[in-house]
Amino acid sequence: MPDTVDRRYRSFDFDGFLVHLVEDPEVRERDLRENTLTMWFEGEGQTRVILPEDVQKYPPLPGQPVVAEEDKYGLRSLIETLLGLEFDDHWIHTVVFSALRHDMFKGSRP
Amino acid sequence: MIEETSGDYTAEDLANRAELLRSIRGDGLEIGAFHSPIPVGEDARVTYVDLLPPEIQQRYFPEVPEDVPVVTPDLVLPADDLHSIAEGALDFVLASHLLEHIANPVGALVEWHRVLRTGGFLYLVLPDMRHTFDRDRVRTTLDHLVLDAQQDRAHPDRLARDAEHYREWAGIVNSLDDPGQRDFWAGHLVKIQYPIHFHCWQPEDIRDLFHEIDKIGMAHFRICGEAVMKGGYEFVFLLQKV
């Protein structure tokens, strides 16, 4: 399904699932500021805020090249960038998981 | 995400490889063995060198299954800066499918020449661009390689050439036709220092390269043997430091 936007949600496929990004301007601004991702979970009937540490499953390893702080991504800003560039589900998944493996999300560490 | 079209080694390939590897004896290095170390004989004592330990390599190459055995390096060093190894200390250096991943391959060859004793051997395996995902890329010229060696990695022209390699990789190897998508992914690969194939070659390019670096006095190797393997997918050079 292509990226679709209504007043409340921006919906797109991620890893085979349809996910809904909350579009409320205040929520969006907070997401961008705090590097979070606020999503509507249809099955749960509720909104949840995804934090960088919630998604980070790959701890940095000794000797792993460190990505410069200015090269790291905010969660929402990366997703919006990828959607803006019209990447498909496969590519969104590829970029996000590459970013996770290389510890590239701002705020994923204390 | 990336698929190569490598075939299997034929019986003739294996015989050719065994013949070339007969010269590999004594003490030496294999650089960048990762999941496919070169099968040397019992007379060869190999120290394994890699830029990164295997658990980090797996993050760069998630397409390599986790249950595939990988070599744990004895030394973690960049291929083109073996500073802890003395000049002329080694009988051999082995590098398989590595040189194309190095931004300045001449710099690496000069460094490998340094650590070899006179008469020591370099065993080099490279993919032939015509048989890999590089087939539609621009064939690297000799001038380009020499320029990469002459310009520091922070030189603006060198940075621009390296950036162009990443864009070419994103566009051709990763099939991103859209310029915005291509540039984003190329930038991402630069950020994580993904070891793309910076350069791509055919066997005669490598022959020319060794003649050139000998001529301009950067490293003196004699080509002792060559073989084409896996139906043309890869080619091998056995070189001797003179």
Side-chain angles (χ1 to χ4, degrees):
Chain A
M1 175 178 175
D3 168 31
T4 60
V5 185
D6 70 15
R7 203 162 46 83
R8 298 167 304 159
Y9 311 120
R10 181 169 192 171
S11 304
F12 60 97
D13 288 323
F14 180 76
D15 205 12
F17 295 95
L18 183 63
V19 298
H20 310 283
L21 200 54
V22 174
E23 276 294 277
D24 177 82
E26 280 184 26
V27 171
R28 178 174 181 270
E29 192 180 319
R30 189 190 64 212
D31 272 351
L32 292 173
R33 188 177 62 246
E34 299 181 4
N35 304 308
T36 54
L37 196 61
T38 305
M39 300 172 73
W40 165 253
F41 285 81
E42 205 168 7
E44 299 174 12
Q46 64 173 346
T47 293
R48 279 201 278 139
V49 180
I50 312 298
L51 306 174
E53 58 262 39
D54 294 336
V55 294
Q56 184 53 269
K57 299 168 188 162
Y58 299 86
L61 295 168
Q64 181 168 0
V66 176
V67 174
E69 198 57 33
E70 64 269 23
D71 286 339
K72 292 188 174 184
Y73 306 116
L75 268 177
R76 179 155 190 147
S77 65
L78 177 62
I79 295 294
E80 288 194 356
T81 298
L82 298 176
L83 293 173
L85 289 168
E86 300 183 345
F87 276 111
D88 62 14
D89 181 6
H90 161 77
W91 271 102
I92 294 173
H93 183 266
T94 297
V95 174
V96 168
F97 274 83
S98 175
L100 288 170
R101 283 194 299 274
H102 296 281
D103 196 25
M104 295 176 76
F105 282 109
K106 289 177 183 170
S108 67
R109 308 281 162 214
Chain B
M1 187 166 60
I2 294 166
E3 290 181 8
E4 296 191 85
T5 52
S6 61
D8 291 326
Y9 289 108
T10 64
E12 185 185 356
D13 291 343
L14 295 175
N16 287 337
R17 183 171 71 178
E19 180 59 30
L20 292 172
L21 286 172
R22 279 178 56 190
S23 301
I24 304 302
R25 294 176 185 171
D27 295 298
L29 305 180
E30 179 168 359
I31 308 172
F34 193 33
H35 63 296
S36 52
I38 294 170
V40 293
E42 290 178 0
D43 296 345
R45 290 171 295 278
V46 184
T47 298
Y48 291 97
V49 176
D50 220 313
L51 176 63
L52 298 167
E55 61 272 22
I56 299 175
Q57 298 256 35
Q58 295 278 12
R59 294 187 175 186
Y60 281 92
F61 302 103
E63 62 272 23
V64 176
E66 286 187 15
D67 57 353
V68 170
V70 296
V71 173
T72 299
D74 303 298
L75 295 171
V76 175
L77 288 171
D80 56 356
D81 181 11
L82 306 171
H83 55 269
S84 62
I85 300 174
E87 190 172 328
L90 302 173
D91 299 305
F92 62 85
V93 171
L94 316 172
S96 176
H97 290 257
L98 173 68
L99 198 66
E100 67 276 14
H101 293 280
I102 298 173
N104 173 14
V106 171
L109 292 172
V110 169
E111 180 67 348
W112 302 345
H113 184 269
R114 180 187 72 78
V115 297
L116 282 170
R117 66 170 171 80
T118 300
F121 289 96
L122 171 61
Y123 181 89
L124 200 57
V125 186
L126 294 159
D128 186 319
M129 65 176 291
R130 294 169 295 185
H131 295 265
T132 73
F133 46 71
D134 288 325
R135 66 179 65 82
D136 296 322
R137 295 182 60 196
V138 177
R139 187 175 173 184
T140 306
T141 65
L142 191 55
D143 289 346
H144 178 122
L145 295 174
V146 172
L147 211 49
D148 280 350
Q150 290 170 338
Q151 291 176 334
D152 182 84
R153 69 183 59 187
H155 190 288
D157 294 347
R158 169 85 187 275
L159 287 172
R161 281 197 305 281
D162 287 348
E164 184 51 33
H165 290 315
Y166 277 98
R167 273 195 297 276
E168 191 190 20
W169 177 273
I172 294 175
V173 179
N174 298 135
S175 305
L176 289 172
D177 297 328
D178 177 85
Q181 293 181 349
R182 183 200 61 201
D183 289 352
F184 174 85
W185 181 239
H188 178 84
L189 294 177
V190 170
K191 288 175 184 177
I192 65 171
Q193 301 169 48
Y194 185 82
I196 61 168
H197 286 191
F198 284 91
H199 305 107
C200 31
W201 299 295
Q202 299 174 20
E204 54 266 41
D205 302 327
I206 297 303
R207 224 172 283 130
D208 291 346
L209 174 61
F210 280 105
H211 289 141
E212 181 67 15
I213 62 175
D214 179 59
K215 194 174 80 182
I216 61 180
M218 296 185 87
H220 306 288
F221 285 105
R222 177 175 72 87
I223 297 174
C224 304
E226 291 181 44
V228 173
M229 300 204 188
K230 291 184 167 183
Y233 164 71
E234 69 183 22
F235 54 95
V236 182
F237 279 90
L238 179 69
L239 303 121
Q240 188 170 33
K241 176 175 173 176
V242 293

